[in-house]
Amino acid sequence: MPFHTIIEPFRIHSTQRIRHTTPEEREAALVRAGYNLFGLRGEEVLIDLLTDSGTGAMSSRQWAAMMDGDESYAGSSSYERFRDTVQGLTGLAEVIPTHQGRAAEHILFSVMAKRGQVVPNNTHFDTTRANVEFVGAEARDLVIAEGRVPSSEHPFKGNMDLDALEATIGEVGVERIPLVMVTVTNNSGGGQPVSLENLRGVRRICDAHGIPLFLDACRFAENAWFIKLREPGQTDRTPREIVREMFSLVDGCTMSAKKDGMANIGGFLALNDAEVARKARNLLILTEGFPTYGGLAGYDMEAIAVGLEEVLDEDYLRYRIRSTAYLAEKAESAGVPTVRPPGGHAVYLDAKALLTHIPPSQYPAQALAVELYRTGGVRGVEIGSVMFGARHPDGTETPSDMELVRLAIPRRTYTQSHVDYVGEVIKEVAERRDQIRGLTIVEQAPWLRHFTARFAPV
Ligand SMILES: *Cc1c(COP(=O)(O)O)cnc(C)c1O
């Protein structure tokens, strides 16, 4: 290519206004929300990097396809298009639509796991962990050691530690492991990819013990792009070919279409085992809806079917992964350490390394997230001890390994100047790091507490 600027591979067709707030408005919003950024109103946020989930822009083709939605309660042709797309992409036989990824998780673990069992994963995402624990099983994270070290430059930091997986199976016993899961990319570990070689290794171990293997496939396309860029022998393959191989190594997957489905809502469970699928559909009817719509409208399934194709476009993936790295470079040059190398969908600021004066018991990553909002109206999310700290009956807590603030990038939504602005806000906050204070929790729920907890400044 003669030019090296990687451009947004789209032009803007419809816009949505965003508005600056005053420092006083932001302070009042923080107090009202109990210093929990989930409590802010959308209009109070200038650049919203809370999540890349369901927050992206859809293409004109997706909107057009929605007009063709078939809202038949049973036998919708939109379901058929959706099913054919998922089957074509994954090679998995049974396709069960759900309203989100977590509904697919809830159904999968309700059908396959039970009390006393252990589910290994590279790193469980928060809803995945909650759904495993909800059925009384244990969610065990077995990511490679490099995956727990923010500064390590390993190209596939999302890889499963194969020795630890073998050891876990030996210790727990095959009969107590209903399935193994691999999350691509590894969201909670920094959006880090998993290599094909590692997935093949996990498959070998699962085969040796007769244990089913599932993908948490939310960012399968971003993972495939990293494989293309970084894995020996993969450069000349298309993302679609790589994706097909990833799915050929598993027995099923859960998926949130709000990520690499490029849609605002939706998800699915796909798998090969017809008996498990039958049980899953029975539960689906109880909790989501009839099997040809799950929790979705016909038009949602249309949008997802188109999105699952668009996400594999090489221009899109090149721009997507590069724009994430660009934000990471901005943070690094502002003196804020990030999880290295940058992941697919988000930049993770290392609050433990930046705010060394705030102990984990005062939630340094929550404090940093609050400060980014206070300073520039930028909303990120804590991925640290608020989200993953282990709480004990006596009220004490074991902190999370890492204290991160995730700045997730909605798909096809913000331009380079938005990202430049975020870089300036990060710089301003980093320059005042010594003045940032920790927080204590004054109110919390028994699980997924990060969504609703209220904090007070220390
Ligand atoms: C978002 C996400 C989920 C849950 O999907 P929802 O659609 O939000 O319910 C599960 N796993 C991973 C890795 C995710 O990123």
Side-chain angles (χ1 to χ4, degrees):
M1 223 185 290
F3 303 107
H4 70 264
T5 304
I6 297 173
I7 62 165
E8 288 88 356
F10 48 80
R11 56 188 177 188
I12 294 166
H13 184 259
S14 153
T15 64
Q16 211 167 29
R17 181 175 178 226
I18 53 176
R19 201 176 60 85
H20 283 278
T21 47
T22 64
E24 294 72 31
E25 284 172 326
R26 292 195 292 278
E27 201 57 51
L30 282 172
V31 169
R32 189 200 71 232
Y35 299 90
N36 186 332
L37 304 184
F38 283 100
L40 298 176
R41 296 173 54 238
E43 290 188 352
E44 291 166 336
V45 179
L46 183 64
I47 307 285
D48 203 349
L49 308 181
L50 180 70
T51 174
D52 64 321
S53 178
T55 52
M58 292 208 295
S59 68
S60 52
R61 286 182 183 210
Q62 285 178 291
W63 287 110
M66 287 179 77
M67 293 303 287
D68 257 338
D70 174 359
E71 306 303 338
S72 301
Y73 192 96
S76 158
S77 60
S78 297
Y79 169 71
E80 291 169 6
R81 268 190 287 281
F82 170 80
R83 178 201 58 203
D84 293 350
T85 303
V86 174
Q87 285 174 342
L89 204 66
T90 66
L92 296 166
E94 308 278 352
V95 179
I96 299 170
T98 59
H99 81 282
Q100 286 197 211
R102 70 195 66 186
E105 292 167 352
H106 179 64
I107 289 171
L108 177 70
F109 294 119
S110 298
V111 169
M112 290 192 68
K114 55 176 192 280
R115 183 162 300 283
Q117 293 188 320
V118 174
V119 176
N121 197 325
N122 43 356
T123 311
H124 287 82
F125 181 64
D126 59 350
T127 61
T128 322
R129 168 174 294 277
N131 273 303
V132 168
E133 291 174 354
F134 188 73
V135 299
E138 181 195 333
R140 210 175 278 189
D141 294 341
L142 302 177
V143 73
I144 55 169
E146 291 89 335
R148 298 179 200 269
V149 183
S151 58
S152 153
E153 290 280 350
H154 191 287
F156 291 103
K157 285 173 81 174
N159 281 355
M160 180 87 90
D161 182 334
L162 300 182
D163 292 336
L165 179 60
E166 280 282 19
T168 300
I169 296 170
E171 172 222 320
V172 171
V174 173
E175 66 293 342
R176 283 179 56 216
I177 301 192
L179 61 97
V180 171
M181 204 162 207
V182 176
T183 305
V184 292
T185 55
N186 191 26
N187 186 351
S188 309
Q192 300 291 336
V194 175
S195 70
L196 274 177
E197 185 193 18
N198 186 254
L199 259 186
R200 292 190 201 112
V202 176
R203 174 80 262 175
R204 263 196 305 279
I205 293 170
C206 287
D207 279 346
H209 298 281
I211 302 171
L213 173 59
F214 277 70
L215 275 188
D216 178 339
C218 296
R219 298 179 182 80
F220 69 94
E222 292 171 6
N223 198 83
W225 188 255
F226 282 119
I227 287 173
K228 183 176 167 69
L229 290 184
R230 297 180 185 170
E231 190 157 351
Q234 300 298 322
T235 325
D236 296 329
R237 297 176 84 191
T238 64
R240 184 180 301 276
E241 286 166 343
I242 295 169
V243 163
R244 193 55 195 261
E245 182 172 352
M246 284 163 53
F247 283 102
S248 75
L249 294 166
V250 299
D251 302 290
C253 73
T254 55
M255 172 75 191
S256 170
K258 303 173 72 170
K259 322 293 174 47
D260 276 355
M262 306 279 252
N264 300 125
I265 196 73
F268 56 85
L269 170 63
L271 69 170
N272 283 326
D273 186 324
E275 179 54 20
V276 174
R278 190 186 58 78
K279 290 185 194 156
R281 287 197 176 98
N282 286 340
L283 194 53
L284 184 83
I285 290 174
L286 185 69
T287 59
E288 292 282 294
F290 190 74
T292 60
Y293 71 87
L296 298 173
Y299 54 66
D300 293 324
M301 293 186 284
E302 295 283 353
I304 296 165
V306 175
L308 288 171
E309 300 285 344
E310 288 183 345
V311 77
L312 294 176
D313 175 47
E314 297 204 12
D315 284 341
Y316 164 74
L317 284 170
R318 185 178 296 113
Y319 138 80
R320 170 76 177 155
I321 299 305
R322 176 60 200 140
S323 50
T324 304
Y326 180 79
L327 175 57
E329 286 162 16
K330 293 270 165 195
E332 294 277 352
S333 69
V336 180
T338 65
V339 173
R340 297 290 313 163
H345 67 293
V347 171
Y348 293 71
L349 309 179
D350 187 346
K352 206 193 242 180
L354 184 75
L355 304 177
T356 47
H357 60 290
I358 304 180
S361 58
Q362 296 178 7
Y363 310 112
Q366 183 68 21
L368 178 58
V370 164
E371 204 56 33
L372 290 171
Y373 174 72
R374 180 183 274 132
T375 303
V378 174
R379 174 158 69 171
V381 68
E382 194 256 17
I383 310 255
S385 293
V386 178
M387 192 178 275
F388 288 119
R391 294 154 69 190
H392 308 300
D394 66 357
T396 60
E397 284 184 17
T398 306
S400 161
D401 286 344
M402 297 194 251
E403 302 289 348
L404 306 174
V405 173
R406 186 188 70 185
L407 303 177
I409 308 180
R411 293 172 180 74
R412 304 186 292 202
T413 303
Y414 292 117
T415 64
Q416 190 168 336
S417 65
H418 291 120
V419 175
D420 289 340
Y421 170 84
V422 174
E424 277 189 74
V425 173
I426 294 172
K427 185 157 183 279
E428 164 75 21
V429 167
E431 281 164 3
R432 286 190 285 102
R433 75 187 73 178
D434 297 339
Q435 294 154 35
I436 300 174
R437 288 184 298 159
L439 297 159
T440 52
I441 293 183
V442 294
E443 210 181 290
Q444 58 184 311
W447 51 73
L448 297 176
R449 66 172 175 179
H450 53 284
F451 288 125
T452 52
R454 293 183 68 84
F455 301 85
V458 171

